[in-house]
Amino acid sequence: MKKLLIGAIVLAALAVGGLAALQIPALQDRLIEAAIRSRMDESDRAPLFADDALRLLVCGSSSPLPAPDRARPCLAVIAAGRFYVVDTGPGSWNRLALLRIPGQRIGGVLLTHFHSDHIGDLGEFNLQTWVAGRGAPLKVWGPAGVERVVAGFNESYALDAGYRTAHHGAALLPPADGMMEAHPLALATDGSAQVAFTDGDLTVRVFPVTHTPIEPAVGYRFDYKGRSLVISGDTVKDAHLIEAARGADLLAHEAQNNDIVARMHDAASALDRPRLQKVLVDIPSYHTSPVEAAEVANAAGVPLLLMYHLTPPPPNRIAESVFLRGVAAVRKGGVVLARDGTLIELPLDGGRAKISILRP
Ligand SMILES: [Zn+2]
Ligand SMILES: [Zn+2]
Protein backbone atom coordinates (compact mmCIF):
# COMPACT_ATOMS: atom_id res chain seq x y z
CA MET A 1 0.00 0.00 0.00
CA LYS A 2 2.81 2.34 0.98
CA LYS A 3 4.62 1.54 -2.31
CA LEU A 4 1.50 2.36 -4.27
CA LEU A 5 1.14 5.68 -2.48
CA ILE A 6 4.78 6.61 -3.17
CA GLY A 7 4.33 5.66 -6.82
CA ALA A 8 1.28 7.90 -7.10
CA ILE A 9 3.15 10.80 -5.49
CA VAL A 10 6.11 10.36 -7.90
CA LEU A 11 3.78 10.26 -10.90
CA ALA A 12 1.98 13.39 -9.71
CA ALA A 13 5.31 15.17 -9.19
CA LEU A 14 6.44 14.18 -12.69
CA ALA A 15 3.17 15.46 -14.20
CA VAL A 16 3.43 18.78 -12.37
CA GLY A 17 7.13 19.02 -13.23
CA GLY A 18 6.36 18.27 -16.88
CA LEU A 19 3.74 20.98 -17.02
CA ALA A 20 6.13 23.40 -15.37
CA ALA A 21 8.84 22.47 -17.89
CA LEU A 22 6.47 23.42 -20.72
CA GLN A 23 6.64 26.99 -19.43
CA ILE A 24 10.42 27.17 -20.04
CA PRO A 25 10.95 29.41 -23.14
CA ALA A 26 13.88 27.37 -24.50
CA LEU A 27 11.80 24.18 -24.41
CA GLN A 28 8.82 25.95 -25.95
CA ASP A 29 11.04 27.19 -28.78
CA ARG A 30 12.31 23.66 -29.46
CA LEU A 31 8.76 22.32 -29.64
CA ILE A 32 7.62 25.13 -31.97
CA GLU A 33 10.61 24.64 -34.27
CA ALA A 34 10.02 20.89 -34.47
CA ALA A 35 6.32 21.45 -35.26
CA ILE A 36 7.12 24.01 -37.98
CA ARG A 37 9.61 21.70 -39.62
CA SER A 38 7.29 18.69 -39.61
CA ARG A 39 4.47 20.77 -41.14
CA MET A 40 6.74 21.98 -43.97
CA ASP A 41 8.60 18.78 -44.74
CA GLU A 42 7.20 17.08 -47.86
CA SER A 43 10.11 14.65 -48.29
CA ASP A 44 8.25 11.71 -46.78
CA ARG A 45 5.57 12.10 -49.49
CA ALA A 46 7.95 11.07 -52.30
CA PRO A 47 6.87 7.38 -52.11
CA LEU A 48 3.31 8.46 -53.03
CA PHE A 49 4.67 9.57 -56.38
CA ALA A 50 6.85 6.53 -57.04
CA ASP A 51 6.06 4.85 -60.34
CA ASP A 52 5.00 1.59 -58.72
CA ALA A 53 1.23 2.07 -58.31
CA LEU A 54 -1.86 3.90 -59.44
CA ARG A 55 -3.12 5.71 -56.33
CA LEU A 56 -6.32 7.38 -55.20
CA LEU A 57 -6.25 9.78 -52.26
CA VAL A 58 -9.47 11.14 -50.77
CA CYS A 59 -9.11 14.91 -50.28
CA GLY A 60 -12.82 15.38 -49.57
CA SER A 61 -15.28 12.66 -48.58
CA SER A 62 -18.34 14.71 -47.68
CA SER A 63 -21.29 16.19 -49.54
CA PRO A 64 -22.86 19.65 -49.16
CA LEU A 65 -23.82 18.82 -45.56
CA PRO A 66 -21.32 20.14 -43.03
CA ALA A 67 -18.90 17.82 -41.25
CA PRO A 68 -16.16 18.81 -38.79
CA ASP A 69 -13.50 16.49 -40.19
CA ARG A 70 -14.46 16.09 -43.84
CA ALA A 71 -14.01 18.38 -46.84
CA ARG A 72 -16.50 18.41 -49.71
CA PRO A 73 -15.91 16.11 -52.71
CA CYS A 74 -12.34 15.82 -53.92
CA LEU A 75 -10.35 12.81 -55.15
CA ALA A 76 -6.69 13.00 -56.13
CA VAL A 77 -5.48 10.41 -58.63
CA ILE A 78 -1.71 9.96 -58.44
CA ALA A 79 0.14 8.49 -61.41
CA ALA A 80 3.24 9.15 -63.46
CA GLY A 81 4.70 11.43 -60.78
CA ARG A 82 1.76 13.83 -60.80
CA PHE A 83 -1.65 14.15 -59.23
CA TYR A 84 -4.92 14.94 -60.96
CA VAL A 85 -7.75 16.31 -58.85
CA VAL A 86 -11.32 15.28 -59.58
CA ASP A 87 -13.54 18.02 -58.11
CA THR A 88 -12.43 20.73 -55.75
CA GLY A 89 -15.07 20.89 -53.03
CA PRO A 90 -14.86 23.52 -50.28
CA GLY A 91 -12.14 22.65 -47.77
CA SER A 92 -10.39 20.20 -50.07
CA TRP A 93 -7.28 22.32 -50.73
CA ASN A 94 -6.87 22.68 -46.99
CA ARG A 95 -7.09 18.89 -46.64
CA LEU A 96 -4.41 18.27 -49.29
CA ALA A 97 -2.19 20.94 -47.76
CA LEU A 98 -2.57 19.40 -44.29
CA LEU A 99 -1.58 16.07 -45.84
CA ARG A 100 1.53 17.81 -47.26
CA ILE A 101 0.90 16.90 -50.89
CA PRO A 102 3.38 18.96 -52.97
CA GLY A 103 1.19 21.40 -54.90
CA GLN A 104 3.69 21.83 -57.73
CA ARG A 105 3.08 18.21 -58.74
CA ILE A 106 -0.49 18.94 -59.85
CA GLY A 107 -1.22 17.78 -63.40
CA GLY A 108 -4.63 19.39 -63.61
CA VAL A 109 -8.18 19.48 -62.33
CA LEU A 110 -11.15 17.54 -63.70
CA LEU A 111 -14.63 18.71 -62.81
CA THR A 112 -17.60 16.34 -62.91
CA HIS A 113 -20.22 19.12 -62.92
CA PHE A 114 -20.59 22.58 -61.52
CA HIS A 115 -22.55 22.25 -58.28
CA SER A 116 -20.92 24.43 -55.65
CA ASP A 117 -19.85 21.47 -53.52
CA HIS A 118 -17.62 20.36 -56.44
CA ILE A 119 -16.06 23.65 -57.50
CA GLY A 120 -15.82 25.82 -54.37
CA ASP A 121 -12.05 25.46 -53.90
CA LEU A 122 -11.05 25.75 -57.57
CA GLY A 123 -9.58 29.21 -57.04
CA GLU A 124 -7.55 27.97 -54.06
CA PHE A 125 -6.16 25.00 -56.00
CA ASN A 126 -5.06 27.36 -58.76
CA LEU A 127 -3.53 29.99 -56.51
CA GLN A 128 -1.84 27.63 -54.08
CA THR A 129 -0.30 25.34 -56.69
CA TRP A 130 0.96 28.42 -58.60
CA VAL A 131 2.64 29.67 -55.43
CA ALA A 132 4.03 26.16 -54.86
CA GLY A 133 5.79 26.35 -58.25
CA ARG A 134 3.50 24.68 -60.78
CA GLY A 135 5.27 26.56 -63.58
CA ALA A 136 2.42 26.65 -66.13
CA PRO A 137 -1.26 27.60 -66.33
CA LEU A 138 -3.50 25.10 -64.54
CA LYS A 139 -5.47 22.90 -66.91
CA VAL A 140 -9.10 22.38 -65.94
CA TRP A 141 -11.08 19.73 -67.82
CA GLY A 142 -14.82 19.41 -67.58
CA PRO A 143 -18.01 19.12 -69.58
CA ALA A 144 -19.45 22.08 -71.48
CA GLY A 145 -19.70 25.04 -69.13
CA VAL A 146 -16.18 24.61 -67.74
CA GLU A 147 -15.08 27.66 -69.78
CA ARG A 148 -17.53 29.85 -67.88
CA VAL A 149 -16.57 28.48 -64.46
CA VAL A 150 -12.84 28.90 -65.18
CA ALA A 151 -13.31 32.42 -66.57
CA GLY A 152 -15.28 33.36 -63.45
CA PHE A 153 -12.64 32.05 -61.04
CA ASN A 154 -9.84 33.65 -63.08
CA GLU A 155 -11.64 36.97 -62.85
CA SER A 156 -12.54 36.70 -59.17
CA TYR A 157 -8.90 35.90 -58.29
CA ALA A 158 -7.37 38.46 -60.70
CA LEU A 159 -6.82 41.15 -58.07
CA ASP A 160 -5.32 38.66 -55.64
CA ALA A 161 -2.97 37.24 -58.31
CA GLY A 162 -1.80 40.79 -59.01
CA TYR A 163 -1.12 41.39 -55.32
CA ARG A 164 0.95 38.21 -55.11
CA THR A 165 3.13 39.09 -58.09
CA ALA A 166 3.54 42.69 -56.84
CA HIS A 167 4.61 41.42 -53.42
CA HIS A 168 6.84 38.44 -54.33
CA GLY A 169 8.01 39.45 -57.82
CA ALA A 170 7.33 38.16 -61.33
CA ALA A 171 10.39 35.89 -61.20
CA LEU A 172 8.73 33.82 -58.46
CA LEU A 173 5.14 34.27 -59.62
CA PRO A 174 4.94 34.93 -63.39
CA PRO A 175 1.39 36.22 -64.05
CA ALA A 176 0.86 33.96 -67.11
CA ASP A 177 1.47 30.83 -65.00
CA GLY A 178 -1.14 31.88 -62.45
CA MET A 179 -4.09 31.49 -64.80
CA MET A 180 -6.37 28.53 -65.42
CA GLU A 181 -7.05 27.11 -68.88
CA ALA A 182 -10.43 25.53 -69.59
CA HIS A 183 -10.52 22.30 -71.59
CA PRO A 184 -14.13 21.46 -72.45
CA LEU A 185 -14.74 17.78 -73.11
CA ALA A 186 -17.04 16.43 -75.80
CA LEU A 187 -19.28 13.53 -74.81
CA ALA A 188 -20.27 10.61 -77.00
CA THR A 189 -23.96 10.64 -77.92
CA ASP A 190 -24.18 6.92 -77.13
CA GLY A 191 -22.85 7.52 -73.62
CA SER A 192 -19.67 5.52 -74.09
CA ALA A 193 -16.40 6.58 -72.48
CA GLN A 194 -14.23 8.81 -74.69
CA VAL A 195 -10.56 9.68 -74.28
CA ALA A 196 -10.35 13.07 -72.56
CA PHE A 197 -6.55 13.29 -72.60
CA THR A 198 -3.40 11.25 -72.16
CA ASP A 199 -0.28 11.91 -70.14
CA GLY A 200 2.40 9.40 -71.10
CA ASP A 201 1.04 5.99 -70.04
CA LEU A 202 -1.96 7.56 -68.31
CA THR A 203 -5.23 7.64 -70.25
CA VAL A 204 -8.22 9.53 -68.86
CA ARG A 205 -11.68 8.90 -70.27
CA VAL A 206 -14.91 10.81 -69.72
CA PHE A 207 -18.50 9.54 -69.85
CA PRO A 208 -21.91 11.04 -69.10
CA VAL A 209 -23.83 10.20 -65.92
CA THR A 210 -27.38 11.03 -64.81
CA HIS A 211 -27.74 13.88 -62.29
CA THR A 212 -30.90 15.42 -63.74
CA PRO A 213 -31.63 18.33 -63.94
CA ILE A 214 -27.88 19.00 -63.93
CA GLU A 215 -26.60 18.50 -67.45
CA PRO A 216 -24.00 17.74 -68.42
CA ALA A 217 -22.63 15.72 -65.51
CA VAL A 218 -19.78 13.26 -66.04
CA GLY A 219 -17.61 10.59 -64.50
CA TYR A 220 -13.99 9.72 -65.30
CA ARG A 221 -11.94 6.59 -65.84
CA PHE A 222 -8.17 6.49 -65.30
CA ASP A 223 -6.04 3.71 -66.84
CA TYR A 224 -2.35 3.49 -66.04
CA LYS A 225 0.02 0.64 -66.86
CA GLY A 226 -2.60 -2.09 -66.51
CA ARG A 227 -4.43 -0.68 -63.44
CA SER A 228 -7.60 1.34 -63.57
CA LEU A 229 -10.05 3.29 -61.45
CA VAL A 230 -13.36 4.95 -62.14
CA ILE A 231 -14.95 7.97 -60.43
CA SER A 232 -18.72 8.36 -60.58
CA GLY A 233 -19.22 12.06 -59.95
CA ASP A 234 -22.82 12.79 -58.87
CA THR A 235 -25.31 10.40 -60.41
CA VAL A 236 -28.16 8.02 -59.92
CA LYS A 237 -27.47 4.34 -60.55
CA ASP A 238 -26.30 4.64 -64.12
CA ALA A 239 -25.89 2.23 -67.04
CA HIS A 240 -23.17 4.31 -68.75
CA LEU A 241 -21.18 4.26 -65.53
CA ILE A 242 -21.49 0.47 -65.28
CA GLU A 243 -20.18 0.14 -68.84
CA ALA A 244 -17.31 2.55 -68.21
CA ALA A 245 -16.34 0.73 -65.00
CA ARG A 246 -16.17 -2.77 -66.51
CA GLY A 247 -12.85 -4.41 -65.76
CA ALA A 248 -11.65 -1.59 -63.49
CA ASP A 249 -9.80 -2.34 -60.26
CA LEU A 250 -11.53 0.34 -58.21
CA LEU A 251 -14.80 2.26 -58.38
CA ALA A 252 -15.16 5.45 -56.34
CA HIS A 253 -18.91 5.99 -56.19
CA GLU A 254 -21.00 8.67 -54.52
CA ALA A 255 -23.44 7.43 -51.86
CA GLN A 256 -26.47 8.89 -50.17
CA ASN A 257 -28.43 6.99 -47.54
CA ASN A 258 -32.04 7.89 -48.25
CA ASP A 259 -33.36 6.24 -45.08
CA ILE A 260 -31.31 8.68 -43.02
CA VAL A 261 -32.31 11.53 -45.35
CA ALA A 262 -35.97 10.60 -44.69
CA ARG A 263 -35.35 10.80 -40.95
CA MET A 264 -33.70 14.20 -41.46
CA HIS A 265 -36.80 15.25 -43.36
CA ASP A 266 -39.00 14.19 -40.44
CA ALA A 267 -36.80 16.11 -38.02
CA ALA A 268 -36.96 19.22 -40.25
CA SER A 269 -40.73 18.87 -40.24
CA ALA A 270 -40.87 18.55 -36.44
CA LEU A 271 -38.61 21.59 -36.11
CA ASP A 272 -40.79 23.60 -38.51
CA ARG A 273 -38.05 24.17 -41.08
CA PRO A 274 -40.02 23.95 -44.36
CA ARG A 275 -37.21 25.09 -46.68
CA LEU A 276 -34.89 22.38 -45.40
CA GLN A 277 -37.79 19.92 -45.67
CA LYS A 278 -38.23 20.78 -49.36
CA VAL A 279 -34.51 20.27 -50.10
CA LEU A 280 -34.55 16.91 -48.31
CA VAL A 281 -37.55 15.83 -50.36
CA ASP A 282 -35.75 16.75 -53.59
CA ILE A 283 -32.27 15.24 -53.16
CA PRO A 284 -33.03 11.49 -53.26
CA SER A 285 -33.99 11.83 -56.94
CA TYR A 286 -30.48 12.50 -58.21
CA HIS A 287 -28.10 10.47 -56.06
CA THR A 288 -27.26 6.79 -55.50
CA SER A 289 -27.92 4.82 -52.31
CA PRO A 290 -25.14 2.72 -50.76
CA VAL A 291 -26.97 -0.48 -51.76
CA GLU A 292 -27.31 0.78 -55.36
CA ALA A 293 -23.62 1.74 -55.43
CA ALA A 294 -22.82 -1.84 -54.39
CA GLU A 295 -25.07 -3.11 -57.17
CA VAL A 296 -23.23 -0.91 -59.70
CA ALA A 297 -19.85 -2.28 -58.58
CA ASN A 298 -21.21 -5.82 -58.80
CA ALA A 299 -22.69 -5.27 -62.26
CA ALA A 300 -19.39 -3.85 -63.51
CA GLY A 301 -17.38 -6.64 -61.88
CA VAL A 302 -15.22 -4.20 -59.91
CA PRO A 303 -13.49 -5.84 -56.93
CA LEU A 304 -13.13 -2.71 -54.76
CA LEU A 305 -15.81 -0.09 -54.11
CA LEU A 306 -14.98 3.16 -52.34
CA MET A 307 -18.04 5.17 -51.30
CA TYR A 308 -17.46 8.92 -51.11
CA HIS A 309 -19.57 12.11 -51.36
CA LEU A 310 -21.30 10.68 -48.30
CA THR A 311 -24.75 12.08 -47.59
CA PRO A 312 -25.10 12.55 -44.73
CA PRO A 313 -21.42 12.25 -43.72
CA PRO A 314 -21.31 9.67 -40.89
CA PRO A 315 -19.75 11.22 -37.76
CA ASN A 316 -18.85 7.95 -36.00
CA ARG A 317 -18.77 4.13 -36.27
CA ILE A 318 -22.42 3.73 -35.32
CA ALA A 319 -23.48 6.15 -38.04
CA GLU A 320 -21.19 4.36 -40.51
CA SER A 321 -22.87 1.09 -39.65
CA VAL A 322 -26.33 2.62 -40.19
CA PHE A 323 -25.11 4.23 -43.43
CA LEU A 324 -24.06 0.82 -44.81
CA ARG A 325 -27.21 -1.07 -43.77
CA GLY A 326 -28.26 -3.51 -46.48
CA VAL A 327 -24.96 -3.36 -48.38
CA ALA A 328 -23.63 -6.66 -46.99
CA ALA A 329 -26.72 -8.41 -48.34
CA VAL A 330 -25.80 -7.53 -51.93
CA ARG A 331 -22.01 -7.47 -51.80
CA LYS A 332 -19.63 -9.66 -49.82
CA GLY A 333 -16.64 -7.50 -48.96
CA GLY A 334 -14.73 -5.09 -51.14
CA VAL A 335 -16.47 -2.01 -49.70
CA VAL A 336 -14.67 0.95 -48.17
CA LEU A 337 -16.34 4.02 -46.71
CA ALA A 338 -14.15 7.03 -47.49
CA ARG A 339 -12.68 9.35 -44.92
CA ASP A 340 -10.54 12.34 -45.71
CA GLY A 341 -7.07 10.88 -46.15
CA THR A 342 -8.18 7.42 -47.31
CA LEU A 343 -5.46 6.17 -49.66
CA ILE A 344 -5.92 3.27 -52.05
CA GLU A 345 -2.86 1.98 -53.89
CA LEU A 346 -3.11 -0.33 -56.90
CA PRO A 347 0.39 -1.81 -57.37
CA LEU A 348 1.59 -1.88 -60.97
CA ASP A 349 2.84 -5.44 -60.47
CA GLY A 350 -0.81 -6.51 -60.28
CA GLY A 351 -0.73 -7.10 -56.51
CA ARG A 352 -3.64 -6.59 -54.16
CA ALA A 353 -4.97 -3.11 -53.48
CA LYS A 354 -3.56 -1.53 -50.31
CA ILE A 355 -5.92 0.58 -48.22
CA SER A 356 -4.69 2.98 -45.56
CA ILE A 357 -5.31 6.41 -44.08
CA LEU A 358 -2.74 9.08 -44.84
CA ARG A 359 -2.15 11.17 -41.69
CA PRO A 360 -0.94 14.78 -41.62
ZN1 LIG B 1 -24.23 17.52 -57.77
ZN1 LIG C 1 -22.37 16.87 -55.05
Side-chain angles (χ1 to χ4, degrees):
M1 187 68 196
K2 197 175 176 185
K3 270 188 182 172
L4 273 178
L5 188 63
I6 290 169
I9 290 169
V10 169
L11 275 177
L14 276 174
V16 171
L19 287 173
L22 290 177
Q23 300 306 315
I24 299 169
L27 182 59
Q28 290 176 334
D29 290 347
R30 283 287 182 87
L31 291 170
I32 292 287
E33 285 158 16
I36 290 170
R37 201 185 156 98
S38 72
R39 287 282 174 95
M40 293 170 67
D41 188 0
E42 296 173 341
S43 59
D44 62 332
R45 295 319 194 202
L48 283 177
F49 295 90
D51 195 22
D52 58 359
L54 172 62
R55 295 178 171 87
L56 181 76
L57 173 65
V58 178
C59 32
S61 58
S62 186
S63 56
L65 295 170
D69 52 359
R70 296 177 187 268
R72 276 59 182 271
C74 175
L75 298 172
V77 179
I78 307 170
R82 277 189 273 279
F83 69 94
Y84 288 89
V85 176
V86 178
D87 289 333
T88 54
S92 56
W93 170 259
N94 187 54
R95 178 64 60 203
L96 269 191
L98 284 172
L99 293 174
R100 294 179 288 111
I101 301 302
Q104 65 275 21
R105 285 184 180 265
I106 196 165
V109 171
L110 299 89
L111 298 175
T112 61
H113 63 300
F114 312 119
H115 263 147
S116 62
D117 56 314
H118 296 254
I119 66 170
D121 257 7
L122 184 58
E124 283 303 290
F125 269 86
N126 183 44
L127 182 86
Q128 299 288 353
T129 57
W130 175 45
V131 171
R134 189 179 68 222
L138 180 64
K139 292 179 174 158
V140 183
W141 289 271
V146 69
E147 316 91 307
R148 195 172 164 191
V149 172
V150 163
F153 272 100
N154 273 336
E155 176 58 21
S156 61
Y157 274 66
L159 291 174
D160 182 68
Y163 305 151
R164 308 283 174 174
T165 300
H167 194 186
H168 303 293
L172 190 80
L173 295 175
D177 292 354
M179 303 297 285
M180 285 185 276
E181 282 176 4
H183 293 262
L185 298 170
L187 299 174
T189 50
D190 66 358
S192 61
Q194 301 293 304
V195 173
F197 66 90
T198 58
D199 173 8
D201 290 313
L202 176 68
T203 300
V204 181
R205 291 181 174 83
V206 63
F207 52 90
V209 293
T210 309
H211 193 39
T212 310
I214 290 76
E215 285 179 23
V218 304
Y220 293 100
R221 175 176 174 130
F222 290 74
D223 284 86
Y224 185 66
K225 295 188 175 178
R227 302 312 299 256
S228 53
L229 63 88
V230 172
I231 295 171
S232 71
D234 283 13
T235 182
V236 296
K237 185 178 175 182
D238 188 273
H240 295 141
L241 170 57
I242 292 171
E243 280 311 308
R246 269 190 213 291
D249 298 297
L250 166 65
L251 171 62
H253 204 301
E254 67 125 291
Q256 171 174 287
N257 187 304
N258 291 325
D259 295 331
I260 303 177
V261 170
R263 290 182 216 202
M264 292 167 70
H265 171 268
D266 293 347
S269 171
L271 293 166
D272 193 23
R273 295 191 59 187
R275 296 182 69 85
L276 181 56
Q277 241 180 295
K278 165 71 174 143
V279 171
L280 291 165
V281 164
D282 291 341
I283 60 174
S285 70
Y286 68 0
H287 288 294
T288 304
S289 74
V291 169
E292 289 172 328
E295 289 169 351
V296 169
N298 290 351
V302 179
L304 186 57
L305 168 64
L306 173 76
M307 294 188 196
Y308 81 112
H309 193 289
L310 305 177
T311 310
N316 52 47
R317 298 251 177 207
I318 294 171
E320 286 181 0
S321 173
V322 174
F323 192 93
L324 288 173
R325 261 183 208 166
V327 170
V330 297
R331 185 174 170 90
K332 306 289 174 229
V335 176
V336 177
L337 211 47
R339 295 181 179 179
D340 287 21
T342 296
L343 173 67
I344 298 182
E345 303 180 80
L346 302 168
L348 296 182
D349 65 6
R352 289 170 65 90
K354 294 179 202 159
I355 303 160
S356 59
I357 299 271
L358 194 65
R359 306 281 179 195

